[in-house]
Amino acid sequence: MAPALWPRLGRILWLACLLPLAPARVAAGVYELHLTTDGPATTGAEVTITASLVADDNGSLVLPASARLYRFRWIHTPLLLTGKTDEAFSSTVRVVGNVPGDFPVSVWVTAADCGTCQPVARSLLVLPITEFLVGNLVVTQNTSLPWPSSYLTKTVLKVSFLLHDPSNFFKTASFLYSWDFGDGTQMVTKDATVYYNYSIVGSFTVKVKVVAEWEQVTPDVGKGVLQKTGDFSASLKLQETLRGIQVLGPTLIQTFQKMIVTLNFLGSPPLNVCWRLKPECLPLGEGECHPVSVGSAAYNLTHIFRDPGDYCFSIQAENIISKTHQYHKIQVWPSSIQPAVFAFPCATLITMMLAFIMYMTLRNAAHQKDMVEVADFDFSPMSDKNPEPPTGVRCCCQITWTDGRRPPAAQRAATDHKERGSRLTEDALLPECLAGVRVNVTDPEPDDGSRSGAGLLQGSAYIFLPGWCPIQ
Ligand SMILES: *[C@@H]1O[C@H](CO)[C@@H](O)[C@H](O)[C@H]1NC(C)=O
Ligand SMILES: *[C@@H]1O[C@H](CO)[C@@H](O)[C@H](O)[C@H]1NC(C)=O
Ligand SMILES: *[C@@H]1O[C@H](CO)[C@@H](O)[C@H](O)[C@H]1NC(C)=O
Ligand SMILES: *[C@@H]1O[C@H](CO)[C@@H](O)[C@H](O)[C@H]1NC(C)=O
């Protein structure tokens, strides 16, 4: 008998020691033990842990008729037990941790009269104990944005520190809060709640350092001031309503030319943008535009027009907070008469007209000169009709009459053959003559016909004009 008992007893002891620390599933039976706690807690504060016995399949099995049949057994060391309450199907313990750390607490339920019997249910939790304050930062705003941690700029934000102190450990403490909103604003308050208004968009981390101070009288040390601190933070994404769309782009473009219109959104992305191109500017109706998802504050819209005409871009954007729209008119020219190209033929035409006018002016002048020359050549049988100074001619002066009379043949000879001893020495007048100066010369002597072939009319005025004479 005895040899058979010892292994059995050993197994029971082994189970009694190890089972509470083993995973709950190992001993899954008809009952379950649910553990709840109000932890985590700061060192010195009391933590309440409750274990409740429930039916395994959530209530379809009835619990034992008499709770007295079962006992709750706890292992909580090194946490100090400060209280214990047993109820019908639950047991509650209050423990205090004096050093920080993560402490396992296990509980199991056995038959009331058999502490070493196999447990009907058991469970385990890990209780975190910290030397700092326990709590969290809660940010709220009177808006509901669809993204987590998203709030509106220029709208009051309520930031509160909620101390987690279920045991009322800090009932006599006074608190001081040092806030940092991450945008350069800092403040210190005695109130756990502040109201703040972000003016710019972006991601910010709001931080608060909480200091709790209280007096404590301990028998050994006496009266002293104790302090605990805690650092808390929350990440915020500040968005803003969509106030408008700035459209930057050409208002005049050529067909088949790539057009880029830059849309700058005055508001926070993400945005749902929808655009439509029509000859007239009309508000966008549902489902009749090109939808685009835009993740930044700017977007480039590109389009190539195939047909010339007047167009209007109707652009609508919404960032869930708000919605806005904008229009952008654009004139499309056919490629051939696009303004820049049109300017070229225009300039060419003007140039051509100017050139023509100049040509006509010059031609008229040349023509007049031709006429003179022709007249010259009329009484100069040896000259040819070419108005240009060809080779074989020299610059000389020729004589014409102021009264427009045609020179008689004798005079023609005199003017044509100046080199042969004409009385009028044109060479003396050559510089003026060449300069195009008209020189009036009146023959001082009456024509007596003695001069060789001269025969100039007495009292007539002669005009010397530059011209071309053949070299002889
Ligand atoms: C048990 O019931 C509770 C509430 O009635 C429910 O929240 C839970 O999900 C149920 N559990 C199971 C395992 O059905
Ligand atoms: C919050 O918004 C509601 C309506 O959206 C408004 O009636 C209320 O006054 C607002 N409260 C604050 C504190 O702004
Ligand atoms: C928030 O600040 C903006 C300016 O930055 C101001 O226009 C707005 O009225 C403020 N809102 C509140 C509720 O104080
Ligand atoms: C839009 O195009 C311009 C040049 O046309 C460029 O500088 C800019 O970076 C583009 N923006 C985006 C958002 O693509």
Side-chain angles (χ1 to χ4, degrees):
M1 188 85 183
L5 181 73
W6 280 114
R8 195 173 158 229
L9 199 63
R11 205 176 79 225
I12 288 165
L13 282 172
W14 179 83
L15 272 173
C17 290
L18 287 189
L19 270 177
L21 301 172
R25 273 194 200 95
V26 174
V30 288
Y31 303 111
E32 259 186 10
L33 204 48
H34 287 175
L35 284 182
T36 57
T37 176
D38 60 8
T42 187
T43 48
E46 206 171 59
V47 185
T48 302
I49 306 166
T50 301
S52 310
L53 193 66
V54 294
D56 184 27
D57 61 351
N58 218 8
S60 65
L61 283 182
V62 288
L63 285 167
S66 169
R68 291 181 195 280
L69 289 170
Y70 298 100
R71 251 186 95 175
F72 287 78
R73 298 168 193 277
W74 294 84
I75 294 181
H76 48 71
T77 48
L79 301 172
L80 303 175
L81 187 72
T82 53
K84 187 166 188 272
T85 321
D86 280 323
E87 283 173 21
F89 299 108
S90 68
S91 172
T92 300
V93 289
R94 281 179 296 282
V95 291
V96 171
N98 286 322
V99 288
D102 292 333
F103 300 98
V105 174
S106 66
V107 58
W108 71 103
V109 179
T110 60
D113 54 351
C114 177
T116 54
C117 291
Q118 188 157 358
V120 295
R122 46 184 202 75
S123 196
L124 173 120
L125 65 74
V126 175
L127 186 66
I129 302 290
T130 167
E131 59 188 309
F132 301 106
L133 293 169
V134 180
N136 59 322
L137 211 50
V138 178
V139 183
T140 53
Q141 197 174 47
N142 195 16
T143 51
S144 59
L145 298 191
W147 308 290
S149 309
S150 288
Y151 305 93
L152 273 189
T153 57
K154 293 165 190 148
T155 307
V156 165
L157 209 62
K158 182 182 175 185
V159 187
S160 306
F161 172 70
L162 300 184
L163 180 73
H164 181 70
D165 184 26
S167 65
N168 223 359
F169 180 72
F170 293 101
K171 58 182 178 291
T172 59
S174 62
F175 291 85
L176 208 61
Y177 305 88
S178 304
W179 304 90
D180 183 344
F181 292 94
D183 63 347
T185 309
Q186 292 174 336
M187 59 172 93
V188 177
T189 62
K190 287 192 164 182
D191 207 323
T193 297
V194 289
Y195 295 91
Y196 189 65
N197 188 354
Y198 279 93
S199 57
I200 48 170
V201 294
S203 294
F204 302 96
T205 302
V206 55
K207 294 175 188 162
V208 64
K209 185 177 188 70
V210 187
V211 179
E213 278 185 347
W214 71 101
E215 272 189 1
Q216 200 173 44
V217 184
T218 43
D220 43 339
V221 184
K223 203 165 148 182
V225 174
L226 297 183
Q227 191 189 68
K228 269 185 194 284
T229 63
D231 290 295
F232 305 89
S233 67
S235 292
L236 314 178
K237 197 169 171 187
L238 271 298
Q239 315 248 352
E240 63 185 345
T241 55
L242 195 56
R243 301 186 311 279
I245 311 167
Q246 187 191 29
V247 185
L248 302 173
T251 53
L252 216 56
I253 201 158
Q254 199 183 336
T255 49
F256 300 104
Q257 194 180 341
K258 190 176 172 187
M259 180 212 59
I260 299 177
V261 172
T262 301
L263 309 177
N264 290 318
F265 301 102
L266 310 174
S268 308
L271 302 149
N272 287 320
V273 178
C274 214
W275 63 272
R276 191 183 60 184
L277 197 57
K278 282 275 157 112
E280 67 286 341
C281 295
L282 287 174
L284 291 170
E286 289 301 320
E288 44 174 279
C289 54
H290 305 277
V292 195
S293 286
V294 179
S296 65
Y299 180 72
N300 277 349
L301 195 68
T302 55
H303 191 75
I304 294 173
F305 289 95
R306 292 178 191 283
D307 301 310
D310 288 337
Y311 293 92
C312 182
F313 273 105
S314 304
I315 304 145
Q316 177 186 283
E318 60 181 313
N319 73 348
I320 303 184
I321 303 170
S322 58
K323 191 190 255 190
T324 186
H325 68 263
Q326 185 62 271
Y327 301 116
H328 181 68
K329 285 184 178 174
I330 189 157
Q331 215 175 20
V332 182
W333 293 67
S335 301
S336 52
I337 58 158
Q338 199 265 344
V341 174
F342 182 68
F344 180 68
C346 196
T348 313
L349 197 66
I350 291 168
T351 312
M352 280 170 67
M353 281 172 71
L354 283 171
F356 180 72
I357 291 165
M358 280 174 72
Y359 167 75
M360 289 304 285
T361 314
L362 290 173
R363 193 169 162 271
N364 284 348
H367 189 63
Q368 279 167 10
K369 196 178 154 199
D370 276 0
M371 300 278 273
V372 170
E373 280 177 357
V374 166
D376 288 345
F377 298 145
D378 273 352
F379 57 83
S380 172
M382 279 169 285
S383 69
D384 66 45
K385 303 273 175 184
N386 189 352
E388 292 295 272
T391 52
V393 297
R394 65 181 183 89
C395 185
C396 68
C397 274
Q398 290 161 350
I399 304 163
T400 187
W401 278 258
T402 49
D403 54 11
R405 280 179 296 165
R406 278 186 68 79
Q411 290 156 13
R412 215 186 276 177
T415 55
D416 287 349
H417 307 287
K418 323 176 236 313
E419 301 87 0
R420 289 191 223 143
S422 162
R423 260 188 65 203
L424 295 172
T425 52
E426 293 90 349
D427 286 349
L429 296 163
L430 200 57
E432 291 88 341
C433 187
L434 288 177
V437 178
R438 291 161 72 103
V439 182
N440 288 338
V441 179
T442 305
D443 192 356
E445 288 177 34
D447 186 19
D448 56 6
S450 61
R451 279 165 279 160
S452 57
L456 289 168
L457 293 175
Q458 189 186 356
S460 286
Y462 305 104
I463 301 163
F464 292 82
L465 286 173
W468 303 104
C469 303
I471 299 166
Q472 289 163 8

